């Protein structure tokens, strides 16, 4: 009877310890890394439970580090997002300014073309005026020659008339 009672008592302690281990391990599996096993002995079972607690501590440290790393990555991603938005705005502004500069350059080019066309027209008109001046100069020379001839003829007529009046 004593052996049966002792066996029953040992069995009850083992079941209690196993139930405690099962409860804590299920909580850890569900993500609760704050749970720890209760160690009631210094034997091999106590050492196994202490090793489980150390494993849970390591897991909690790893998960905490990963969580911190994730927050850091998220913060950097947000920062990069804002930087990308700023760069996109700057690119848009540069594009707009480039388009404005291109339009101004096109306008200036058109004005330069208009000035060049007007210069060609003025040059053509100067050539026409020069040609007309040459024609006028030639005509004036002919008139001068004709006037000299007429003057010479008048001089001859006047000399002839003077001579006739003397006679």
């Amino acid at each position: 009877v004593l052996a049966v009672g002792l066996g029953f008592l040992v069995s009850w302690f083992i079941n209690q310890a196993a139930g405690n281990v099962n409860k804590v391990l299920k909580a850890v599996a569900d993500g609760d890394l704050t749970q720890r096993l209760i160690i009631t002995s210094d034997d091999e079972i106590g050492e196994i439970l202490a090793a489980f607690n150390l494993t849970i501590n390591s897991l909690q440290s790893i998960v905490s580090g990963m969580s911190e790393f994730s927050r850091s990555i998220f913060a950097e991603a947000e920062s990069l997002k804002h930087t990308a938005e700023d760069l996109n705005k700057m690119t848009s502004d540069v594009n707009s300014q480039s388009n404005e500069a291109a339009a101004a350059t096109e306008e200036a080019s058109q004005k330069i073309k208009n000035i060049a066309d007007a210069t060609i027209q003025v040059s053509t008109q100067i050539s026409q005026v020069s040609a007309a001046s040459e024609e006028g100069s030639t005509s004036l020379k002919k008139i001068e020659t004709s006037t000299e001839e007429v003057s010479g003829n008048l001089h001859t007529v006047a000399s002839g008339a003077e001579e006739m009046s003397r006679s």
Side-chain angles (χ1 to χ4, degrees):
V1 175
L2 184 62
V4 172
L6 190 59
F8 180 74
L9 186 62
V10 169
S11 173
W12 182 80
F13 279 116
I14 291 173
N15 280 337
Q16 288 293 357
N20 181 33
V21 170
N22 190 32
K23 179 181 131 197
V24 170
L25 290 179
K26 280 185 179 181
V28 168
D30 288 339
D32 183 2
L33 297 177
T34 62
Q35 298 290 317
R36 298 296 181 268
L37 296 169
I38 299 170
I39 302 169
T40 57
S41 66
D42 291 334
D43 58 4
E44 289 83 11
I45 292 180
E47 288 177 14
I48 291 171
L49 296 177
F52 271 123
N53 283 341
L54 287 174
T55 302
I56 294 170
N57 286 343
S58 294
L59 283 173
Q60 188 176 26
S61 177
I62 290 169
V63 168
S64 176
M66 288 174 62
S67 178
E68 184 61 35
F69 183 70
S70 293
R71 281 191 290 276
S72 174
I73 294 290
F74 180 76
E76 289 300 319
E78 282 295 312
S79 176
L80 286 174
K81 176 185 163 194
H82 292 298
T83 300
E85 289 170 351
D86 290 345
L87 286 173
N88 189 29
K89 171 95 173 73
M90 284 188 246
T91 300
S92 178
D93 290 347
V94 167
N95 187 31
S96 177
Q97 291 171 357
S98 293
N99 288 339
E100 289 173 12
T105 302
E106 180 64 31
E107 184 179 338
S109 177
Q110 185 61 42
K111 287 180 179 179
I112 290 170
K113 183 183 178 301
N114 291 344
I115 290 170
D117 290 346
T119 303
I120 290 170
Q121 289 176 348
V122 167
S123 176
T124 301
Q125 291 171 352
I126 288 172
S127 293
Q128 290 172 348
V129 167
S130 176
S133 291
E134 281 185 33
E135 284 180 28
S137 177
T138 303
S139 295
L140 284 175
K141 284 183 183 179
K142 287 181 183 177
I143 290 173
E144 180 186 0
T145 303
S146 296
T147 303
E148 286 176 4
E149 285 179 18
V150 167
S151 175
N153 290 340
L154 285 175
H155 194 29
T156 303
V157 169
S159 292
E162 198 179 301
E163 245 181 70
M164 281 182 25
S165 72
R166 280 189 223 163
S167 2

